[in-house]
């Protein structure tokens, strides 16, 4: 709900409880989204958009991605964050069929794997795609969806215009994965989770049991630090998290004042 709430606020609709929704969401969900936006500094204590909230409302992406884009100026990694923002906006980047062909496709996918996790793996896949000519034949031989990758190129181009509009530098972190991952935390600090001995995770907010999605490069591997941030949560028979990257727990402390429970 955070994105539509920002859009409504930008239109001057501040009293969301009296807004006539076509299909009204539960009040609890609206309040939770407002809490998150206040914590992220996008809505002030008066209930109105802050300066950065107004800017983020103009970005055609969800709030976490927009927050990363604006934080990239501080972390000096705009080039890479722009790519990650585009790649996390699409679905089914890798094509892994069943059976024998799937095993071969999995070997191809591993060529892009970054030990830090999925965000950097997606970055590697995009960089390779653009480096080797953006061809459908190359994608087919490397277990990538040409349609999805082409869409990522288009989204990245659009987002780059927004960065230029808001004077956000598109500079490279020059391979500094630590700086890049800290920038990821700035957008997804509310999606922190810690590894537990049974191979699952516990969310920082709510202490929920989370399972790693099978498509993650961390599906069968414990993160060295024991902590991760994730891009999204999926409810099936169990709660699964997708697009996961290893972080240091101390990085969450940069945002600790925004948590109700600082522990």
């Amino acid at each position: 709900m955070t994105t539509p709430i920002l859009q409504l606020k930008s239109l001057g609709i501040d009293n969301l409880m009296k807004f006539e929704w076509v299909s009204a969401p539960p009040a609890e969900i609206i309040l939770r989204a407002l809490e998150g936006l206040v914590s992220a500094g996008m809505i002030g204590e008066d209930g109105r958009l802050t300066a950065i909230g107004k800017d983020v409302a103009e970005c055609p992406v969800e709030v976490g991605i927009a927050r990363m884009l604006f934080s990239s100026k501080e972390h000096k990694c705009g080039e890479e964050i722009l790519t990650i923002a585009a790649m996390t906006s699409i679905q089914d980047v890798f094509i892994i069929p069943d059976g024998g062909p799937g095993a071969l496709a999995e070997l191809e996918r591993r060529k892009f794997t970054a030990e830090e996790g999925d965000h950097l793996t997606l970055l590697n896949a995009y960089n390779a795609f653009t480096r080797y000519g953006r061809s459908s034949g190359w994608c087919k031989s490397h277990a990538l969806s040409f349609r999805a990758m082409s869409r990522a190129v288009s989204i990245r181009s659009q987002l780059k215009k927004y960065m230029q509009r808001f004077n956000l530098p598109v500079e490279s972190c020059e391979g500094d994965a630590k700086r890049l991952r800290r920038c990821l935390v700035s957008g997804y600090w509310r999606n922190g989770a810690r590894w537990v001995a049974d191979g699952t995770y516990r969310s920082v907010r709510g202490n929920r049991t989370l399972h790693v999605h099978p498509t993650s490069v961390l599906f069968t591997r414990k993160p060295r630090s024991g902590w991760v941030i994730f891009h999204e949560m999926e409810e099936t028979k169990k709660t699964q998290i997708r697009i996961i990257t290893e972080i240091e727990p101390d990085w969450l402390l940069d945002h600790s004042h925004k948590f109700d429970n600082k522990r």
Side-chain angles (χ1 to χ4, degrees):
M1 288 298 297
T2 51
T3 299
I5 285 176
L6 273 184
Q7 293 169 345
L8 288 172
K9 291 279 186 182
S10 69
L11 294 171
I13 301 170
D14 287 316
N15 192 337
L16 298 176
M17 292 306 176
K18 292 185 178 180
F19 180 70
E20 295 184 5
W21 302 87
V22 175
S23 178
E28 181 185 353
I29 291 179
I30 295 177
L31 290 172
R32 194 178 302 158
L34 285 169
E35 174 198 7
L37 289 169
V38 171
S39 299
M42 296 182 191
I43 292 180
E45 296 295 338
D46 60 356
R48 300 182 183 277
L49 289 180
T50 61
I52 190 171
K54 292 176 182 178
D55 289 343
V56 168
E58 295 186 42
C59 291
V61 291
E62 58 103 355
V63 172
I65 291 178
R67 197 73 181 88
M68 284 192 321
L69 292 174
F70 281 90
S71 297
S72 68
K73 181 176 183 179
E74 173 190 348
H75 296 283
K76 298 181 180 179
C77 58
E79 181 78 28
E80 292 79 10
I81 284 295
L82 192 54
T83 298
I84 290 173
M87 290 293 283
T88 53
S89 298
I90 59 177
Q91 298 290 329
D92 303 321
V93 174
F94 294 100
I95 301 175
I96 311 294
D98 295 328
L104 293 174
E106 181 62 33
L107 290 175
E108 289 297 325
R109 184 175 73 158
R110 290 180 184 178
K111 294 178 180 178
F112 306 111
T113 297
E115 63 179 7
E116 294 87 356
D118 299 311
H119 291 89
L120 274 68
T121 296
L122 292 173
L123 174 64
N124 289 342
Y126 182 92
N127 288 342
F129 175 67
T130 55
R131 187 182 305 121
Y132 294 108
R134 306 181 183 183
S135 73
S136 59
W138 184 87
C139 283
K140 186 176 181 179
S141 63
H142 289 81
L144 287 166
S145 166
F146 177 69
R147 177 180 295 182
M149 297 304 297
S150 299
R151 177 67 178 148
V153 171
S154 175
I155 292 173
R156 189 183 189 281
S157 178
Q158 295 171 41
L159 291 178
K160 187 174 183 179
K161 293 177 182 178
Y162 279 90
M163 291 191 72
Q164 292 169 339
R165 175 179 175 181
F166 295 118
N167 297 316
L168 299 173
V170 183
E171 57 185 320
S172 174
C173 66
E174 304 296 342
D176 189 340
K178 180 178 178 180
R179 207 159 73 206
L180 184 54
R181 289 183 295 138
R182 293 194 76 149
C183 188
L184 291 174
V185 172
S186 73
Y188 288 93
W189 53 269
R190 290 170 67 86
N191 288 5
R194 58 184 174 82
W195 185 86
V196 293
D198 63 1
T200 62
Y201 287 81
R202 298 293 182 271
S203 62
V204 171
R205 297 179 67 249
N207 200 36
R208 296 181 63 183
T209 298
L210 306 173
H211 300 262
V212 177
H213 195 276
T215 57
S216 172
V217 302
L218 294 178
F219 180 60
T220 57
R221 183 168 62 83
K222 174 190 174 182
R224 290 164 300 182
S225 66
W227 290 79
V228 298
I229 50 105
F230 57 92
H231 177 70
E232 60 188 3
M233 188 184 296
E234 183 179 276
E235 296 284 356
T236 54
K237 292 181 180 179
K238 53 189 177 182
T239 305
Q240 295 182 314
I241 49 178
R242 301 172 62 103
I243 312 183
I244 307 162
T245 289
E246 176 184 316
I247 63 166
E248 296 296 330
D250 290 350
W251 300 345
L252 293 173
L253 297 179
D254 294 339
H255 309 277
S256 63
H257 63 285
K258 298 163 185 170
F259 284 100
D260 290 334
N261 185 343
K262 294 179 178 60
R263 286 188 63 194

